[in-house]
Amino acid sequence: MVTKKLFGIILFICCAFFLAWRITSSLPQSRTVSSVRTTQSINKNSVRVSLTLDTGEKIATYDGIIASNAFDALIAVTRAHAISLITKKYDFGVFIQQIGTFPNTKDNAWVYYVNGVSGDVAADKKTVKNGDTVLWKYTKPLY
């Protein structure tokens, strides 16, 4: 009887720690990263940009991200900070389905902006320049 209670308590504690870890790791606290490198190849067109993730609840900003387009910057940050990223490839480019624990729905979707201007092409087709700011915002879609 004591063994079953002890096992139940240990199982409860493990589940509580796992749940707390999942909640806190959905998006990290806002912080500055001097440089983020991933296994992603850095090509001659890669530059340094800032990337901000805005869930509507929390904003996290990362500086010095090496990327050649808006999607590369997102990949670099999500890989470096273990943030889940779900995408789908279409003929027109990559479509973001979910970042962290925030999936696209009829009420909210991920929209990207470069220097305050909403993307006019798929994020993997949007070339960035040195010093650009890329914002991924979870917001009400315009469509």
Side-chain angles (χ1 to χ4, degrees), residues 32-102:
T32 299
V33 178
S34 61
S35 178
V36 175
R37 291 187 183 263
T38 67
T39 55
Q40 170 187 356
S41 63
I42 298 172
N43 65 39
K44 65 180 180 176
N45 298 323
S46 293
V47 295
R48 290 190 184 272
V49 299
S50 287
L51 182 129
T52 299
L53 293 174
D54 181 353
T55 67
E57 298 171 5
K58 196 184 313 186
I59 298 174
T61 299
Y62 309 89
D63 294 320
I65 307 305
I66 299 172
S68 59
N69 58 55
F71 181 61
D72 284 348
L74 180 62
I75 289 173
V77 168
T78 57
R79 284 184 181 168
H81 297 282
I83 300 169
S84 65
L85 176 63
I86 300 173
T87 64
K88 188 164 185 175
K89 179 77 172 144
Y90 290 96
D91 291 339
F92 63 84
V94 174
F95 179 72
I96 306 303
Q97 293 181 309
Q98 181 172 329
I99 302 173
T101 58
F102 298 90

Side-chain angles (χ1 to χ4, degrees), residues 9-24:
I9 291 170
I10 291 171
L11 183 61
F12 175 79
I13 292 171
C14 289
C15 290
F17 276 112
F18 177 75
L19 182 60
W21 172 77
R22 285 297 298 155
I23 290 170
T24 59

Side-chain angles (χ1 to χ4, degrees), residues 101-122:
T101 58
F102 298 90
N104 288 346
T105 65
K106 65 178 180 152
D107 297 321
N108 285 304
W110 286 101
V111 177
Y112 82 90
Y113 301 81
V114 175
N115 299 325
V117 179
S118 179
D120 54 353
V121 295

